Amino acid sequence: MAKFYISTAIDYPSMAPHLGHAYEKVCADVLARFKRLQGFEVHFSTGTDEHGLKIQRSAERIGKKPKEFVDLMSSKFEKLCDKLNISYDDFIRTTEKRHIEVARLIFEKLGQTGDVYKGVYDGLYCTECETFYPEKELVDGKCPVHRQKVERLKEECYFFRMSKYQNKILRHIEKNPDFIQPEGRRNEILSRLKEPLKDLCISRTDFDWGIPLPIDGKHILYVWADALINYLTTIGYPTDKFKKFWPADVHLIGKDISWHHCVIWSSLLLSTGLQLPKKIFVHGFVTYKGEKLSKSKGLVIDPIHLAEEYSVDALRYFLVREISFGQDGAFSEEGLRARLNTELADVLGNFVHRVLTFTQDRFGGKVPEGKIDKELETEVGERIGKAEKLLEELKITQALEEIMALAGRGNEYFQSCRPWAAIKSDPKKTADCILNCVNLVKVLCIALQPFMPSTCDRLAEQLNLKITGWTGVEKFDIKPGHRIQKPLILFKKIQPQDPPQPKSGLATTKELNKLDIRIGNVTKAERVQGSEKLLKLEVELANERRTIVAGIADHYPPEELIGKQVVIVINLEPVKLMGVKSEGMLLAAVDGEKISLTVDRSVKSGTKVK
Ligand code: ME8
């Protein structure tokens, strides 16, 4: 059986996952599911990147040991995958024994090639992206990705002779136009490779949360080298399974880490004598009000909350359809609602429901005798052929558009046959129409399965059909006499909530208007020493940070608060609680029906609450 190996990046579990992480997993899942339907033996990996200084510091901030911290945080990423119906075959964690063994093995191989030597690294480092930066790549002296201060490092380390592989990588990219996609990202890497490539520092000594080097236990493996090797661990390097699945067919990653994958990873593989992956597909960022969602900036949108509010499949659909694959795309709740209401409910849901209820009500749930409309079947076949080609080329947004156009076509067809009127005057025409429409519903049910698996499973049940594969998806092969089940609504429309009306008796007084109430993002949370109840929160407003002390430790573990939004009063006289100055007061926040201290939706930090 032909194989297909697709991976996502493995996420830093320094904070809870946000919509950007969900996006990458959903896109990879669409491709993995499509390939499985086509009959490929698929390995789909995702997971968490758990070593390094960033994680060690995040753990320290909330008073936990790194291992205890990553166990807790990694489970949130796994939970997200399960919630979003991500059909991963392996959720890999870099703290697992199997990975540590492979990482050490690969390091030994690099040494055997003569590509590792000892030296002193003297330069700049951004802990947020765990990356070394030459001075000239900084923007206003800050990390070009996170716009945060970089640290000066001077320490003994082991270097990897990355420079040796510059020409090989260049030639590989030039000879294989599909190696890095989309083209814009490929050009970026090609242009950066015009500059001489430096050797890479691949060990650290000033902290210990990592994999000790087999040759020198004082050093731990640089977290990026450690993380990239996960792509080998997950397929069981160096076993037969590895031999079957390597090279990877697609590494799916975001645009901030294309250099690490296209250049660092390629040179590590070349040094160890392994083949390069077939494709590295670089997707864009999910943005909100023009800004990239980011853990470090505290701009996070909780995908689990959205999935619960709008349904998992509506969220999956929105992400693939709204964000052209390979480009950046904006998230807004209005946008999500609009796609759900006007495309999923009004077009797809409406077509399916009309056809199946008509079959149920007028034909007792039995597909009527009739004639297949060959013209329609050919038209559908052409679109499906196009969608299939697009999926092969990883153009998932366009593929989804093609398939959804068939739902629109179905509505048109149903409408033009007018079966509700024709049933008396022309029962034969009505039967033909229904036979063809049921078949079109079947086509949609299979073709949309990679995008909206649970909806399509429910639809398959209604159609009394087993989805077995992609082959023949376009065929109108549901025969007259086939029985369908009772139709159910696939998508419920969701209207924006009306603003709550103030209850009588509660007036806003002039005095209350004097309070300056703002929305802020929690960037740090820790216990106040010597107190059971108090937490100290660092809250980021638009241009400033405030320390807020609140007696909520009984109800909120500090790590749950990081990345959440809170409502605070900022123009109070500062007060000292257990020796810590509180520069504001935490208020309750209203999030839909829920009243609590935090909200998951993202409003720009610093926003004034009226
Ligand atoms: O970079 N929109 O982890 P990470 C879309 N551990 N994708 C986004 C995004 C956004 N707003 N924000 C982040 C790491 N991502 C490393 C990877 S792989 C061997 C090691 C994407 O948690 C990001 O581009 O910072 C990356 O592909 C993934 O989420 C994990 O990011």
Side-chain angles (χ1 to χ4, degrees):
M1 196 192 280
K3 67 91 189 173
F4 182 77
Y5 169 21
I6 182 165
S7 63
T8 69
I10 49 171
D11 308 317
Y12 290 124
S14 52
M15 283 191 192
H18 58 62
L19 195 60
H21 295 120
Y23 174 66
E24 186 172 295
K25 293 177 201 305
V26 167
C27 295
D29 189 55
V30 168
L31 291 165
R33 285 179 184 272
F34 167 63
K35 285 289 168 186
R36 278 194 208 104
L37 266 185
Q38 277 191 318
F40 282 74
E41 187 182 347
V42 171
H43 183 87
F44 169 20
S45 69
T46 189
T48 40
D49 179 0
E50 305 185 354
H51 288 129
L53 188 55
K54 167 169 159 151
I55 296 290
Q56 181 170 314
R57 284 188 181 157
S58 303
E60 279 163 3
R61 241 179 253 140
I62 61 163
K64 285 210 187 304
K65 292 241 161 26
K67 181 65 170 75
E68 200 189 344
F69 176 73
V70 292
D71 285 349
L72 174 83
M73 298 305 286
S74 172
S75 69
K76 292 180 193 278
F77 285 79
E78 207 167 344
K79 198 171 125 210
L80 171 72
C81 289
D82 295 338
K83 178 85 195 174
L84 296 185
N85 227 339
I86 305 297
S87 61
Y88 59 86
D89 296 290
D90 187 18
F91 187 95
I92 177 163
R93 302 180 51 191
T94 52
T95 47
E96 287 174 78
K97 185 166 165 274
R98 60 169 172 155
H99 175 69
I100 294 169
E101 281 167 10
V102 174
R104 290 165 67 104
L105 212 61
I106 294 295
F107 182 85
E108 276 166 2
K109 291 226 170 237
L110 301 176
Q112 284 155 13
T113 324
D115 281 345
V116 175
Y117 63 92
K118 209 173 191 176
V120 172
Y121 178 79
D122 184 2
L124 303 167
Y125 192 76
C126 169
T127 307
E128 201 45 53
C129 43
E130 299 279 18
T131 299
F132 302 95
Y133 283 104
E135 193 111 31
K136 67 174 189 226
E137 278 180 28
L138 302 185
V139 178
D140 300 328
K142 293 186 174 159
C143 159
V145 178
H146 297 94
R147 304 293 155 109
Q148 290 196 0
K149 270 201 195 148
V150 288
E151 294 168 57
R152 176 128 235 133
L153 289 186
K154 187 168 180 188
E155 62 185 32
E156 180 192 85
C157 74
Y158 285 90
F159 280 93
F160 164 62
R161 277 185 223 285
M162 191 155 79
S163 56
K164 187 170 143 190
Y165 297 98
Q166 175 157 17
N167 287 336
K168 266 198 176 162
I169 297 173
L170 250 175
R171 253 181 284 130
H172 185 83
I173 300 175
E174 278 162 1
K175 272 220 257 64
N176 298 277
D178 283 350
F179 176 52
I180 305 171
Q181 293 183 21
E183 205 187 337
R185 299 286 159 217
R186 174 176 183 262
N187 293 339
E188 262 172 30
I189 297 290
L190 280 173
S191 120
R192 280 184 72 180
L193 278 173
K194 287 201 179 113
E195 299 276 323
L197 193 57
K198 289 218 171 85
D199 287 347
L200 179 74
C201 165
I202 51 163
S203 76
R204 298 284 308 264
T205 49
D206 61 348
F207 64 94
D208 60 3
W209 181 235
I211 302 177
L213 297 189
I215 51 164
D216 188 343
K218 252 186 19 225
H219 289 249
I220 57 160
L221 187 59
Y222 169 44
V223 63
W224 263 103
D226 169 348
L228 288 161
I229 293 169
N230 97 83
Y231 299 130
L232 303 179
T233 312
T234 174
I235 46 169
Y237 177 87
T239 62
D240 284 349
K241 181 168 182 188
F242 161 78
K243 286 177 196 134
K244 172 166 196 177
F245 280 98
W246 192 258
D249 292 85
V250 182
H251 285 324
L252 179 61
I253 51 159
K255 64 183 188 184
D256 51 339
I257 56 174
S258 61
W259 177 260
H260 305 78
H261 281 77
C262 301
V263 179
I264 300 181
W265 184 221
S266 294
S267 53
L268 290 171
L269 287 168
L270 287 171
S271 170
T272 34
L274 293 172
Q275 273 181 276
L276 300 191
K278 291 189 192 155
K279 278 181 197 161
I280 298 175
F281 190 94
V282 186
H283 65 75
F285 283 148
V286 182
T287 62
Y288 181 73
K289 298 198 170 157
E291 277 191 63
K292 169 189 183 270
L293 300 181
S294 139
K295 287 176 288 195
S296 60
K297 289 191 202 144
L299 184 60
V300 290
I301 291 176
D302 178 7
I304 292 193
H305 170 81
L306 291 174
E308 275 165 6
E309 193 120 319
Y310 294 93
S311 84
V312 170
D313 281 351
L315 179 62
R316 288 175 61 113
Y317 176 83
F318 169 84
L319 290 171
V320 179
R321 181 68 186 76
E322 181 82 13
I323 305 169
S324 183
F325 198 41
Q327 312 290 319
D328 288 350
F331 167 79
S332 71
E333 247 177 292
E334 302 83 73
L336 171 54
R337 240 183 341 252
R339 295 263 180 214
L340 166 61
N341 291 346
T342 60
E343 294 172 21
L344 293 178
D346 283 350
V347 180
L348 177 64
N350 184 35
F351 172 57
V352 168
H353 199 66
R354 281 165 113 182
V355 172
L356 299 189
T357 36
F358 201 92
T359 313
Q360 187 71 27
D361 296 350
R362 303 304 184 101
F363 296 103
K366 214 161 105 181
V367 178
E369 285 292 338
K371 216 171 94 213
I372 294 292
D373 181 340
K374 285 287 167 200
E375 229 173 88
L376 179 69
E377 195 184 14
T378 309
E379 184 188 329
V380 170
E382 279 168 8
R383 272 209 192 268
I384 289 291
K386 243 174 152 178
E388 182 175 335
K389 185 162 175 288
L390 288 164
L391 281 166
E392 299 281 6
E393 293 167 354
L394 312 182
K395 295 181 178 153
I396 56 174
T397 308
Q398 286 150 280
L400 180 55
E401 267 175 68
E402 282 297 332
I403 300 168
M404 281 300 285
L406 289 176
R409 178 72 181 96
N411 272 321
E412 229 176 73
Y413 193 83
F414 188 87
Q415 196 69 21
S416 68
C417 297
R418 298 169 54 80
W420 62 93
I423 186 129
K424 288 217 171 83
S425 58
D426 195 345
K428 197 179 145 324
K429 181 177 156 195
T430 309
D432 287 349
C433 169
I434 294 303
L435 171 66
N436 285 289
C437 285
V438 171
N439 270 290
L440 184 45
V441 171
K442 173 228 115 168
V443 174
L444 286 164
C445 174
I446 303 174
L448 287 172
Q449 198 268 355
F451 302 90
M452 296 184 281
S454 69
T455 301
C456 292
D457 285 351
R458 272 195 300 144
L459 182 53
E461 253 173 56
Q462 293 175 42
L463 282 171
N464 197 9
L465 183 94
K466 226 178 149 54
I467 304 180
T468 51
W470 184 268
T471 315
V473 49
E474 75 288 358
K475 290 214 173 86
F476 280 20
D477 50 9
I478 293 203
K479 301 274 185 281
H482 177 90
R483 279 206 170 273
I484 62 156
Q485 306 287 336
K486 193 172 171 299
L488 301 167
I489 303 273
L490 290 184
F491 298 99
K492 282 202 199 93
K493 284 196 187 189
I494 293 190
Q495 302 305 342
Q497 289 199 339
D498 294 330
Q501 298 299 316
K503 289 190 187 136
S504 60
L506 289 178
T508 310
T509 67
K510 238 165 114 188
E511 293 310 306
L512 275 178
N513 280 337
K514 288 185 189 157
L515 299 182
D516 189 350
I517 304 174
R518 304 275 173 150
I519 304 273
N521 289 318
V522 180
T523 55
K524 273 190 203 168
E526 60 195 29
R527 287 176 184 279
V528 171
Q529 275 197 353
S531 164
E532 298 264 292
K533 299 231 179 290
L534 293 178
L535 288 188
K536 178 178 154 200
L537 313 180
E538 288 287 323
V539 178
E540 192 181 67
L541 299 162
N543 301 314
E544 57 171 327
R545 278 170 194 267
R546 293 272 174 134
T547 302
I548 308 288
V549 181
I552 53 173
D554 279 353
H555 307 288
Y556 286 84
E559 66 275 10
E560 295 275 326
L561 288 165
I562 298 171
K564 293 271 165 92
Q565 291 200 317
V566 287
V567 183
I568 54 173
V569 183
I570 62 165
N571 57 343
L572 295 178
E573 286 290 314
V575 284
K576 261 197 174 171
L577 295 162
M578 294 292 287
V580 185
K581 191 159 94 179
S582 185
E583 301 162 316
M585 187 186 215
L586 196 60
L587 285 187
V590 182
D591 188 10
E593 293 295 293
K594 222 168 70 190
I595 299 179
S596 64
L597 288 176
T598 65
V599 281
D600 285 324
R601 290 169 215 218
S602 224
V603 180
K604 229 181 164 80
S605 57
T607 302
K608 194 165 171 132
V609 179
K610 297 198 183 88

